[in-house]
Amino acid sequence: MALIVQKYGGTSVGTVERIQAVADRVIATKNKGNQVVVVVSAMSGQTNKLIALAKDIDEQPPAHEMDVLVSTGEQVTIALLSIALMKKGAEAKSYTGSQIKMLTDSAHGKARILDIQCDNMQKDLQDNKVIVVAGFQGIDELGRITTLGRGGSDTTAVAMAAALKADECQIYTDVDGVYTTDPRVEPKARKLDRITFEEMLEMASLGSKILQIRSVEFAGKYNVPLRVLSSFEEGEGAGTLITTEDDEMEQAVISGIAFNRDEAQLTISGVPDKPGVASDILGAITKVNIEIDMIVQNVGEDGTTDFTFTVHRNDYVNALDCLTQTGDKLGAKKVYGNDSIVKLSLVGVGMRSHAGIASTMFAALAEEGINILMISTSEIKISVVVAEKYLELGVRTLHSAFGLENDGTLSCI
Ligand code: ADP
Ligand code: ASP
Ligand code: MG
């Protein structure tokens, strides 16, 4: 008998009909002799609606009350799915984050899981029950409700699978696997049968929202077999298996293209080139709790230096404010920014053993007249920042330049 954790995202439980379909799939899995734990998200759109309600009252509502509010979305779905399962004759029991004692730290809105108490659940599973767990939520040591960040139900599912030593964690969503890039942007994107944890982690960190970053980190760390599948497909597809690198895997040089439209770029130019200047500029930004992503520094011949860096677009106004103040202090020539940019990234473990990827990338973009604003590289990725208007063209150009497409068929709603 295998223990399977299945996670269903917002669109997969977006209507009563979809919830009924999820119940059928859960029962089918159970009828094959498996124990099943189901983790669900809020019905699609609900989390955004709850956030908007709060923001109608206060643009910056207290984070701990936001967690009380947004966690209600998942509570609705666990009840509805349990009702559907019971109506169809299965024994089911719903659990909120606090009922399973999903202990997290107290970082409201982006809490990290510390511990899960599995005793009650083990007993329910032995009693032949399907367990239905609210994704995205936990409690801290003070008993306050916390949430794990947007898309956090993925992490709940992987954490449950790790804690219960499940045989597989299946992430059901509205596409039938991980594609070479977001199929909504490049319809010729190809489904991958497998992708390594390392590549999936890069894809997620660089903006692919198919899996929350922490869920991939967790799965890699605890060796949880992780699969992405469609809940809209009849029967059982194979989806995409996230796996450790092995010799048998055919190694494509590039596995995928990620993009991130959530960034903004800031520049400070003409500051004295001397020790401590980077720390003055970037330290001031991190001091106001703004995370910096890419950084480029250029030193001019006149003894001054320029810094360009990116931050989350939500932090753009505050970062520009802070940088302007630093610029005044340091006597900068100019401080300016641009919040209409995107970051495009090529990801692939095969890059380690292949030269010339960057030059192919830059030439392909140049041929389409796409100007590169920033570049950053690591062992298995190359990222460029370009104007936002080039997102689709850039992704499609790179997809074709690296031969990632197939015959163009795609099963995505
Ligand atoms: P859920 O609500 O099930 O958690 P998400 O919206 O979080 O679903 O994730 C699924 C979406 O991720 C897809 O609809 C797709 O548009 C997007 N996506 C982004 N990058 C990729 C990729 N490389 N492969 C597949 N889907 C991707
Ligand atoms: N409902 C939460 C969100 O919309 C968590 C999730 O769906 O994973 O971000
Ligand atoms: Mg998601």
Side-chain angles (χ1 to χ4, degrees):
M1 182 187 286
L3 171 56
I4 311 283
V5 174
Q6 296 186 332
K7 177 257 170 176
Y8 293 91
T11 42
S12 302
V13 291
T15 61
V16 164
E17 291 71 32
R18 294 302 318 156
I19 290 175
Q20 307 262 25
V22 166
D24 289 336
R25 191 178 290 273
V26 169
I27 290 171
T29 309
K30 190 159 182 297
N31 286 347
K32 283 187 193 134
N34 300 304
Q35 293 180 319
V36 189
V37 175
V38 191
V39 174
V40 283
S41 290
M43 295 168 82
S44 55
Q46 285 308 309
T47 311
N48 288 347
K49 268 191 203 152
L50 293 166
I51 293 171
L53 280 177
K55 293 211 164 176
D56 278 348
I57 300 172
D58 180 352
E59 212 11 72
Q60 289 196 308
H64 59 278
E65 291 303 342
M66 283 308 283
D67 280 352
V68 175
L69 178 66
V70 292
S71 59
T72 59
E74 274 70 11
Q75 190 164 337
V76 170
T77 345
I78 53 170
L80 291 177
L81 179 59
S82 301
I83 292 168
L85 284 164
M86 287 187 279
K87 178 79 179 166
K88 288 174 189 287
E91 280 200 74
K93 186 163 171 189
S94 68
Y95 280 94
T96 62
S98 60
Q99 285 171 323
I100 46 168
K101 300 221 167 47
M102 173 76 71
L103 185 69
T104 71
D105 63 18
S106 301
H108 289 282
K110 50 179 179 198
R112 282 182 178 270
I113 297 170
L114 303 174
D115 189 39
I116 304 175
Q117 281 191 9
C118 301
D119 302 353
N120 286 348
M121 283 181 286
Q122 300 278 23
K123 192 173 171 304
D124 288 335
L125 287 170
Q126 276 154 20
D127 290 346
N128 210 27
K129 287 191 180 125
V130 174
I131 295 174
V132 183
V133 177
F136 180 52
Q137 54 181 264
I139 47 160
D140 69 3
E141 268 186 339
L142 301 170
R144 284 192 149 174
I145 295 174
T146 55
T147 62
L148 310 178
R150 296 307 303 266
S153 301
D154 295 334
T155 304
T156 307
V158 174
M160 295 291 301
L164 292 165
K165 299 193 174 50
D167 294 277
E168 188 162 289
C169 181
Q170 303 174 340
I171 306 287
Y172 280 94
T173 182
D174 54 11
V175 276
D176 60 350
V178 179
Y179 278 67
T180 45
T181 193
D182 189 338
R184 290 178 204 280
V185 169
E186 171 50 288
K188 289 185 194 152
R190 179 172 45 89
K191 184 173 85 70
L192 300 166
D193 292 334
R194 287 166 162 232
I195 184 168
T196 66
F197 281 112
E198 206 183 356
E199 288 168 320
M200 195 62 239
L201 194 57
E202 282 288 0
M203 292 275 280
S205 314
L206 294 167
S208 288
K209 294 191 172 140
I210 179 137
L211 286 174
Q212 202 200 30
I213 305 169
R214 280 190 197 155
S215 70
V216 188
E217 265 170 14
F218 229 95
K221 188 167 165 193
Y222 294 99
N223 246 321
V224 176
L226 186 61
R227 199 181 283 280
V228 176
L229 305 130
S230 168
S231 71
F232 289 80
E233 216 174 55
E234 290 288 322
E236 250 182 300
T240 301
L241 185 67
I242 327 286
T243 159
T244 44
E245 212 172 316
D246 74 41
D247 297 339
E248 282 168 35
M249 249 174 106
E250 34 92 32
Q251 264 330 327
V253 179
I254 304 298
S255 291
I257 300 170
F259 55 84
N260 187 347
R261 3 175 170 233
D262 295 337
E263 294 200 26
Q265 187 188 42
L266 295 107
T267 300
I268 179 166
S269 68
V271 286
D273 178 30
K274 59 177 191 200
V277 71
S279 144
D280 286 345
I281 293 169
L282 304 172
I285 299 283
T286 45
K287 225 180 240 163
V288 289
N289 278 327
I290 295 176
E291 270 182 48
I292 296 169
D293 181 23
M294 290 164 91
I295 309 172
V296 173
Q297 182 191 8
N298 279 315
V299 181
E301 281 180 357
D302 62 352
T304 65
T305 182
D306 302 344
F307 279 88
T308 298
F309 56 92
T310 62
V311 297
H312 195 284
R313 214 176 271 187
N314 292 347
D315 293 325
Y316 175 63
V317 174
N318 289 342
L320 195 56
D321 234 32
C322 173
L323 192 63
T324 306
Q325 286 173 30
T326 313
D328 289 344
K329 262 188 236 155
L330 299 177
K333 235 181 255 155
K334 208 169 155 195
V335 171
Y336 54 97
N338 180 359
D339 64 350
S340 305
I341 54 143
V342 284
K343 182 167 76 175
L344 309 181
S345 306
L346 289 180
V347 175
V349 288
M351 263 188 227
R352 286 191 186 119
S353 48
H354 281 79
I357 305 294
S359 53
T360 307
M361 180 184 197
F362 303 156
L365 294 173
E367 209 160 287
E368 293 298 332
I370 301 175
N371 193 30
I372 298 172
L373 306 173
M374 287 174 92
I375 300 170
S376 112
T377 63
S378 80
E379 228 194 347
I380 65 161
K381 72 119 207 277
I382 305 172
S383 300
V384 294
V385 170
V386 300
E388 189 172 18
K389 64 180 177 192
Y390 292 130
L391 169 65
E392 278 83 8
L393 179 62
V395 168
R396 289 176 194 164
T397 299
L398 296 176
H399 202 266
S400 137
F402 288 93
L404 298 181
E405 66 267 315
N406 64 350
D407 58 1
T409 49
L410 159 76
S411 103
C412 136
I413 58 151

PDB file of all heavy atoms in Angstrom, residues 294-317:
ATOM      1  N   MET A 294      19.505  41.360  -8.924  1.00  0.00           N
ATOM      2  CA  MET A 294      20.733  41.478  -9.732  1.00  0.00           C
ATOM      3  C   MET A 294      21.468  42.771  -9.389  1.00  0.00           C
ATOM      4  O   MET A 294      20.827  43.786  -9.111  1.00  0.00           O
ATOM      5  CB  MET A 294      20.368  41.515 -11.220  1.00  0.00           C
ATOM      6  CG  MET A 294      19.848  40.221 -11.761  1.00  0.00           C
ATOM      7  SD  MET A 294      19.034  40.466 -13.347  1.00  0.00           S
ATOM      8  CE  MET A 294      20.368  40.223 -14.484  1.00  0.00           C
ATOM      9  N   ILE A 295      22.791  42.754  -9.464  1.00  0.00           N
ATOM     10  CA  ILE A 295      23.584  43.974  -9.241  1.00  0.00           C
ATOM     11  C   ILE A 295      24.667  44.065 -10.315  1.00  0.00           C
ATOM     12  O   ILE A 295      25.345  43.075 -10.594  1.00  0.00           O
ATOM     13  CB  ILE A 295      24.308  43.965  -7.872  1.00  0.00           C
ATOM     14  CG1 ILE A 295      23.345  43.650  -6.738  1.00  0.00           C
ATOM     15  CG2 ILE A 295      25.037  45.279  -7.630  1.00  0.00           C
ATOM     16  CD1 ILE A 295      24.032  43.428  -5.399  1.00  0.00           C
ATOM     17  N   VAL A 296      24.812  45.240 -10.906  1.00  0.00           N
ATOM     18  CA  VAL A 296      25.920  45.460 -11.846  1.00  0.00           C
ATOM     19  C   VAL A 296      26.622  46.739 -11.438  1.00  0.00           C
ATOM     20  O   VAL A 296      25.972  47.747 -11.142  1.00  0.00           O
ATOM     21  CB  VAL A 296      25.398  45.603 -13.300  1.00  0.00           C
ATOM     22  CG1 VAL A 296      26.528  46.008 -14.227  1.00  0.00           C
ATOM     23  CG2 VAL A 296      24.788  44.298 -13.786  1.00  0.00           C
ATOM     24  N   GLN A 297      27.973  46.711 -11.396  1.00  0.00           N
ATOM     25  CA  GLN A 297      28.735  47.932 -11.107  1.00  0.00           C
ATOM     26  C   GLN A 297      29.693  48.191 -12.269  1.00  0.00           C
ATOM     27  O   GLN A 297      30.323  47.265 -12.780  1.00  0.00           O
ATOM     28  CB  GLN A 297      29.553  47.770  -9.824  1.00  0.00           C
ATOM     29  CG  GLN A 297      30.308  49.040  -9.486  1.00  0.00           C
ATOM     30  CD  GLN A 297      31.341  48.866  -8.387  1.00  0.00           C
ATOM     31  OE1 GLN A 297      31.633  47.776  -7.942  1.00  0.00           O
ATOM     32  NE2 GLN A 297      31.904  49.985  -7.964  1.00  0.00           N
ATOM     33  N   ASN A 298      29.759  49.441 -12.708  1.00  0.00           N
ATOM     34  CA  ASN A 298      30.717  49.831 -13.744  1.00  0.00           C
ATOM     35  C   ASN A 298      31.593  50.938 -13.195  1.00  0.00           C
ATOM     36  O   ASN A 298      31.076  51.888 -12.602  1.00  0.00           O
ATOM     37  CB  ASN A 298      29.988  50.439 -14.945  1.00  0.00           C
ATOM     38  CG  ASN A 298      29.442  49.358 -15.827  1.00  0.00           C
ATOM     39  OD1 ASN A 298      30.127  48.388 -16.110  1.00  0.00           O
ATOM     40  ND2 ASN A 298      28.197  49.530 -16.232  1.00  0.00           N
ATOM     41  N   VAL A 299      32.902  50.823 -13.419  1.00  0.00           N
ATOM     42  CA  VAL A 299      33.792  51.903 -12.977  1.00  0.00           C
ATOM     43  C   VAL A 299      34.248  52.688 -14.202  1.00  0.00           C
ATOM     44  O   VAL A 299      34.741  52.104 -15.177  1.00  0.00           O
ATOM     45  CB  VAL A 299      35.006  51.327 -12.223  1.00  0.00           C
ATOM     46  CG1 VAL A 299      35.915  52.454 -11.757  1.00  0.00           C
ATOM     47  CG2 VAL A 299      34.532  50.505 -11.044  1.00  0.00           C
ATOM     48  N   GLY A 300      34.039  54.005 -14.157  1.00  0.00           N
ATOM     49  CA  GLY A 300      34.427  54.841 -15.295  1.00  0.00           C
ATOM     50  C   GLY A 300      35.874  55.294 -15.169  1.00  0.00           C
ATOM     51  O   GLY A 300      36.525  55.115 -14.135  1.00  0.00           O
ATOM     52  N   GLU A 301      36.379  55.885 -16.244  1.00  0.00           N
ATOM     53  CA  GLU A 301      37.777  56.332 -16.223  1.00  0.00           C
ATOM     54  C   GLU A 301      37.969  57.593 -15.379  1.00  0.00           C
ATOM     55  O   GLU A 301      39.079  57.933 -14.982  1.00  0.00           O
ATOM     56  CB  GLU A 301      38.246  56.621 -17.658  1.00  0.00           C
ATOM     57  CG  GLU A 301      38.586  55.336 -18.400  1.00  0.00           C
ATOM     58  CD  GLU A 301      39.049  55.575 -19.826  1.00  0.00           C
ATOM     59  OE1 GLU A 301      39.061  56.740 -20.265  1.00  0.00           O
ATOM     60  OE2 GLU A 301      39.382  54.581 -20.481  1.00  0.00           O
ATOM     61  N   ASP A 302      36.866  58.287 -15.102  1.00  0.00           N
ATOM     62  CA  ASP A 302      36.981  59.552 -14.362  1.00  0.00           C
ATOM     63  C   ASP A 302      36.971  59.360 -12.848  1.00  0.00           C
ATOM     64  O   ASP A 302      36.808  60.323 -12.096  1.00  0.00           O
ATOM     65  CB  ASP A 302      35.829  60.487 -14.775  1.00  0.00           C
ATOM     66  CG  ASP A 302      34.476  59.891 -14.428  1.00  0.00           C
ATOM     67  OD1 ASP A 302      34.425  58.712 -14.012  1.00  0.00           O
ATOM     68  OD2 ASP A 302      33.459  60.598 -14.556  1.00  0.00           O
ATOM     69  N   GLY A 303      37.146  58.114 -12.399  1.00  0.00           N
ATOM     70  CA  GLY A 303      37.205  57.865 -10.957  1.00  0.00           C
ATOM     71  C   GLY A 303      35.834  57.796 -10.294  1.00  0.00           C
ATOM     72  O   GLY A 303      35.743  57.774  -9.064  1.00  0.00           O
ATOM     73  N   THR A 304      34.777  57.751 -11.085  1.00  0.00           N
ATOM     74  CA  THR A 304      33.447  57.559 -10.484  1.00  0.00           C
ATOM     75  C   THR A 304      32.916  56.195 -10.897  1.00  0.00           C
ATOM     76  O   THR A 304      33.453  55.545 -11.805  1.00  0.00           O
ATOM     77  CB  THR A 304      32.439  58.649 -10.933  1.00  0.00           C
ATOM     78  OG1 THR A 304      32.222  58.517 -12.328  1.00  0.00           O
ATOM     79  CG2 THR A 304      32.909  60.033 -10.555  1.00  0.00           C
ATOM     80  N   THR A 305      31.868  55.789 -10.230  1.00  0.00           N
ATOM     81  CA  THR A 305      31.290  54.465 -10.506  1.00  0.00           C
ATOM     82  C   THR A 305      29.767  54.552 -10.620  1.00  0.00           C
ATOM     83  O   THR A 305      29.149  55.475 -10.086  1.00  0.00           O
ATOM     84  CB  THR A 305      31.739  53.464  -9.411  1.00  0.00           C
ATOM     85  OG1 THR A 305      31.229  52.188  -9.705  1.00  0.00           O
ATOM     86  CG2 THR A 305      31.290  53.858  -8.041  1.00  0.00           C
ATOM     87  N   ASP A 306      29.170  53.599 -11.350  1.00  0.00           N
ATOM     88  CA  ASP A 306      27.702  53.516 -11.503  1.00  0.00           C
ATOM     89  C   ASP A 306      27.240  52.162 -10.960  1.00  0.00           C
ATOM     90  O   ASP A 306      27.911  51.159 -11.184  1.00  0.00           O
ATOM     91  CB  ASP A 306      27.293  53.533 -12.982  1.00  0.00           C
ATOM     92  CG  ASP A 306      27.768  54.762 -13.717  1.00  0.00           C
ATOM     93  OD1 ASP A 306      28.149  55.738 -13.064  1.00  0.00           O
ATOM     94  OD2 ASP A 306      27.753  54.709 -14.964  1.00  0.00           O
ATOM     95  N   PHE A 307      26.095  52.157 -10.286  1.00  0.00           N
ATOM     96  CA  PHE A 307      25.487  50.898  -9.844  1.00  0.00           C
ATOM     97  C   PHE A 307      24.103  50.774 -10.456  1.00  0.00           C
ATOM     98  O   PHE A 307      23.337  51.743 -10.435  1.00  0.00           O
ATOM     99  CB  PHE A 307      25.258  50.899  -8.328  1.00  0.00           C
ATOM    100  CG  PHE A 307      26.478  50.570  -7.548  1.00  0.00           C
ATOM    101  CD1 PHE A 307      27.362  51.564  -7.180  1.00  0.00           C
ATOM    102  CD2 PHE A 307      26.735  49.264  -7.178  1.00  0.00           C
ATOM    103  CE1 PHE A 307      28.479  51.267  -6.449  1.00  0.00           C
ATOM    104  CE2 PHE A 307      27.858  48.959  -6.445  1.00  0.00           C
ATOM    105  CZ  PHE A 307      28.738  49.951  -6.077  1.00  0.00           C
ATOM    106  N   THR A 308      23.790  49.584 -10.972  1.00  0.00           N
ATOM    107  CA  THR A 308      22.417  49.303 -11.374  1.00  0.00           C
ATOM    108  C   THR A 308      22.008  48.028 -10.656  1.00  0.00           C
ATOM    109  O   THR A 308      22.788  47.072 -10.591  1.00  0.00           O
ATOM    110  CB  THR A 308      22.318  49.122 -12.901  1.00  0.00           C
ATOM    111  OG1 THR A 308      22.713  50.355 -13.505  1.00  0.00           O
ATOM    112  CG2 THR A 308      20.903  48.803 -13.343  1.00  0.00           C
ATOM    113  N   PHE A 309      20.805  48.009 -10.118  1.00  0.00           N
ATOM    114  CA  PHE A 309      20.338  46.795  -9.444  1.00  0.00           C
ATOM    115  C   PHE A 309      18.830  46.652  -9.597  1.00  0.00           C
ATOM    116  O   PHE A 309      18.152  47.602 -10.028  1.00  0.00           O
ATOM    117  CB  PHE A 309      20.753  46.774  -7.964  1.00  0.00           C
ATOM    118  CG  PHE A 309      20.289  47.963  -7.176  1.00  0.00           C
ATOM    119  CD1 PHE A 309      19.074  47.928  -6.493  1.00  0.00           C
ATOM    120  CD2 PHE A 309      21.054  49.121  -7.102  1.00  0.00           C
ATOM    121  CE1 PHE A 309      18.642  49.015  -5.756  1.00  0.00           C
ATOM    122  CE2 PHE A 309      20.622  50.219  -6.372  1.00  0.00           C
ATOM    123  CZ  PHE A 309      19.411  50.173  -5.698  1.00  0.00           C
ATOM    124  N   THR A 310      18.323  45.456  -9.312  1.00  0.00           N
ATOM    125  CA  THR A 310      16.875  45.249  -9.414  1.00  0.00           C
ATOM    126  C   THR A 310      16.280  44.891  -8.045  1.00  0.00           C
ATOM    127  O   THR A 310      16.960  44.301  -7.200  1.00  0.00           O
ATOM    128  CB  THR A 310      16.527  44.128 -10.423  1.00  0.00           C
ATOM    129  OG1 THR A 310      17.101  42.908  -9.966  1.00  0.00           O
ATOM    130  CG2 THR A 310      17.016  44.439 -11.821  1.00  0.00           C
ATOM    131  N   VAL A 311      15.017  45.274  -7.878  1.00  0.00           N
ATOM    132  CA  VAL A 311      14.263  44.942  -6.655  1.00  0.00           C
ATOM    133  C   VAL A 311      12.875  44.472  -7.088  1.00  0.00           C
ATOM    134  O   VAL A 311      12.517  44.596  -8.272  1.00  0.00           O
ATOM    135  CB  VAL A 311      14.103  46.189  -5.734  1.00  0.00           C
ATOM    136  CG1 VAL A 311      15.440  46.690  -5.244  1.00  0.00           C
ATOM    137  CG2 VAL A 311      13.317  47.306  -6.417  1.00  0.00           C
ATOM    138  N   HIS A 312      12.093  43.939  -6.159  1.00  0.00           N
ATOM    139  CA  HIS A 312      10.707  43.578  -6.484  1.00  0.00           C
ATOM    140  C   HIS A 312       9.952  44.845  -6.866  1.00  0.00           C
ATOM    141  O   HIS A 312      10.167  45.901  -6.283  1.00  0.00           O
ATOM    142  CB  HIS A 312      10.040  42.910  -5.276  1.00  0.00           C
ATOM    143  CG  HIS A 312       8.771  42.206  -5.653  1.00  0.00           C
ATOM    144  ND1 HIS A 312       7.598  42.866  -5.907  1.00  0.00           N
ATOM    145  CD2 HIS A 312       8.506  40.893  -5.856  1.00  0.00           C
ATOM    146  CE1 HIS A 312       6.653  42.000  -6.236  1.00  0.00           C
ATOM    147  NE2 HIS A 312       7.183  40.781  -6.215  1.00  0.00           N
ATOM    148  N   ARG A 313       9.065  44.706  -7.860  1.00  0.00           N
ATOM    149  CA  ARG A 313       8.369  45.897  -8.359  1.00  0.00           C
ATOM    150  C   ARG A 313       7.541  46.581  -7.264  1.00  0.00           C
ATOM    151  O   ARG A 313       7.378  47.796  -7.271  1.00  0.00           O
ATOM    152  CB  ARG A 313       7.483  45.510  -9.543  1.00  0.00           C
ATOM    153  CG  ARG A 313       7.398  46.616 -10.559  1.00  0.00           C
ATOM    154  CD  ARG A 313       6.614  46.218 -11.761  1.00  0.00           C
ATOM    155  NE  ARG A 313       7.447  45.603 -12.797  1.00  0.00           N
ATOM    156  CZ  ARG A 313       6.988  45.293 -14.001  1.00  0.00           C
ATOM    157  NH1 ARG A 313       5.730  45.536 -14.313  1.00  0.00           N
ATOM    158  NH2 ARG A 313       7.779  44.739 -14.899  1.00  0.00           N
ATOM    159  N   ASN A 314       7.041  45.791  -6.311  1.00  0.00           N
ATOM    160  CA  ASN A 314       6.267  46.399  -5.211  1.00  0.00           C
ATOM    161  C   ASN A 314       7.129  47.332  -4.369  1.00  0.00           C
ATOM    162  O   ASN A 314       6.613  48.191  -3.660  1.00  0.00           O
ATOM    163  CB  ASN A 314       5.714  45.325  -4.265  1.00  0.00           C
ATOM    164  CG  ASN A 314       4.657  44.490  -4.929  1.00  0.00           C
ATOM    165  OD1 ASN A 314       4.167  44.852  -5.986  1.00  0.00           O
ATOM    166  ND2 ASN A 314       4.321  43.362  -4.318  1.00  0.00           N
ATOM    167  N   ASP A 315       8.456  47.118  -4.406  1.00  0.00           N
ATOM    168  CA  ASP A 315       9.360  47.929  -3.579  1.00  0.00           C
ATOM    169  C   ASP A 315       9.963  49.094  -4.360  1.00  0.00           C
ATOM    170  O   ASP A 315      10.810  49.813  -3.838  1.00  0.00           O
ATOM    171  CB  ASP A 315      10.516  47.049  -3.045  1.00  0.00           C
ATOM    172  CG  ASP A 315      10.035  46.012  -2.055  1.00  0.00           C
ATOM    173  OD1 ASP A 315       9.101  46.324  -1.287  1.00  0.00           O
ATOM    174  OD2 ASP A 315      10.572  44.896  -2.043  1.00  0.00           O
ATOM    175  N   TYR A 316       9.545  49.246  -5.624  1.00  0.00           N
ATOM    176  CA  TYR A 316      10.217  50.203  -6.505  1.00  0.00           C
ATOM    177  C   TYR A 316      10.191  51.635  -5.950  1.00  0.00           C
ATOM    178  O   TYR A 316      11.235  52.290  -5.845  1.00  0.00           O
ATOM    179  CB  TYR A 316       9.543  50.152  -7.892  1.00  0.00           C
ATOM    180  CG  TYR A 316      10.068  51.179  -8.871  1.00  0.00           C
ATOM    181  CD1 TYR A 316      11.398  51.165  -9.284  1.00  0.00           C
ATOM    182  CD2 TYR A 316       9.231  52.162  -9.391  1.00  0.00           C
ATOM    183  CE1 TYR A 316      11.887  52.104 -10.181  1.00  0.00           C
ATOM    184  CE2 TYR A 316       9.714  53.101 -10.291  1.00  0.00           C
ATOM    185  CZ  TYR A 316      11.038  53.064 -10.679  1.00  0.00           C
ATOM    186  OH  TYR A 316      11.523  53.996 -11.557  1.00  0.00           O
ATOM    187  N   VAL A 317       9.018  52.109  -5.567  1.00  0.00           N
ATOM    188  CA  VAL A 317       8.894  53.507  -5.137  1.00  0.00           C
ATOM    189  C   VAL A 317       9.750  53.757  -3.887  1.00  0.00           C
ATOM    190  O   VAL A 317      10.510  54.734  -3.828  1.00  0.00           O
ATOM    191  CB  VAL A 317       7.400  53.856  -4.882  1.00  0.00           C
ATOM    192  CG1 VAL A 317       7.244  55.244  -4.303  1.00  0.00           C
ATOM    193  CG2 VAL A 317       6.622  53.732  -6.184  1.00  0.00           C
TER     194      VAL A 317
END
